[in-house]
Amino acid sequence: MELILREDIIGLGYKNDIVTVKSGYGRNYLIPTGKAVIASDSAKKVLAENLKQQAHKLAAIKADAEKRAEALQNVALVIEAKVSATGVTYGSVNAATVAEELKKRGIEVDRKIITMHDIKKVGDFEATIHFHKDVEVKVPVKVVAENAPVEEAPEAEVSAEVEVAEAPVAEVEAQIEEDETPAAE
């Protein structure tokens, strides 16, 4: 069954594409939800006419998508996640997590245009962001342990404080013993 898409559907096609799908998927989901129409001869002619009229709008949309993609060219994300001792994350890092991290950096990206596999362990991965059917950016994602071991320098400072704290206690104990000794005589 041939259909004309009215909106972008990840994994199937983009708006105004003519796609072939199984009839059940088309009749039971795409057409009733308004995501597609049947690609009859008249619908194809109307589509061709609309594309001619909207050519300059589509060029502007593509230019905007290229500008947004250019802002992400040198971005590398580092995401901290809670990790077990074996390096497996509790939960997973997914497209929504990547979108939140980009938002923290001031880059607004909808999670629905990000494609990636759910990340369930520490390491380097890649997320693909689809701004337009001709414009996509691959963003490196590094997952690191949130509960990483602390450095040894702060531990040395803590142990030094403990030794300083123990010294006055020893002096106080020595004074107490001296006080008790004269009373015994």
Side-chain angles (χ1 to χ4, degrees):
M1 162 179 253
E2 278 194 338
L3 297 175
I4 300 172
L5 296 179
R6 289 193 172 180
E7 62 184 60
D8 296 346
I9 299 175
I10 303 238
L12 183 60
Y14 296 95
K15 183 176 180 178
N16 297 327
D17 283 352
I18 298 175
V19 296
T20 304
V21 297
K22 291 187 177 183
S23 59
Y25 182 51
R27 292 193 192 283
N28 295 327
Y29 177 69
L30 294 174
I31 294 172
T33 57
K35 296 179 186 265
V37 293
I38 296 175
S40 62
D41 291 334
S42 61
K44 289 179 184 178
K45 289 179 185 175
V46 169
L47 174 66
E49 185 62 31
N50 287 342
L51 288 177
K52 286 180 188 176
Q53 292 176 0
Q54 294 178 352
H56 68 282
K57 289 182 183 177
L58 294 175
I61 291 171
K62 184 176 179 181
D64 181 51
E66 288 174 349
K67 187 174 105 179
R68 291 179 67 193
E70 193 173 302
L72 284 174
Q73 282 298 339
N74 297 323
V75 173
L77 298 178
V78 177
I79 298 176
E80 293 183 351
K82 292 184 180 180
V83 179
S84 69
T86 59
V88 178
T89 61
Y90 295 113
S92 65
V93 176
N94 53 22
T97 311
V98 172
E100 288 175 18
E101 193 68 28
L102 287 170
K103 189 174 183 178
K104 288 178 186 175
R105 293 178 178 226
I107 302 170
E108 197 69 33
V109 176
D110 185 20
R111 67 175 174 81
K112 294 176 185 171
I113 64 171
I114 301 172
T115 57
M116 61 184 285
H117 296 290
D118 287 350
I119 301 170
K120 297 186 183 222
K121 56 185 169 182
V122 175
D124 294 324
F125 301 93
E126 193 172 75
T128 305
I129 303 173
H130 305 275
F131 288 111
H132 185 267
K133 68 180 179 180
D134 297 331
V135 181
E136 61 182 42
V137 178
K138 295 189 183 299
V139 176
V141 177
K142 182 175 185 173
V143 178
V144 296
E146 181 179 278
N147 48 359
V150 293
E151 297 176 13
E152 293 181 18
E155 290 177 7
E157 294 173 6
V158 171
S159 62
E161 292 174 7
V162 171
E163 290 174 9
V164 171
E166 289 176 0
V169 172
E171 292 175 6
V172 170
E173 289 176 355
Q175 288 179 349
I176 292 173
E177 289 177 12
E178 291 175 7
D179 292 338
E180 292 176 2
T181 307
E185 294 176 2

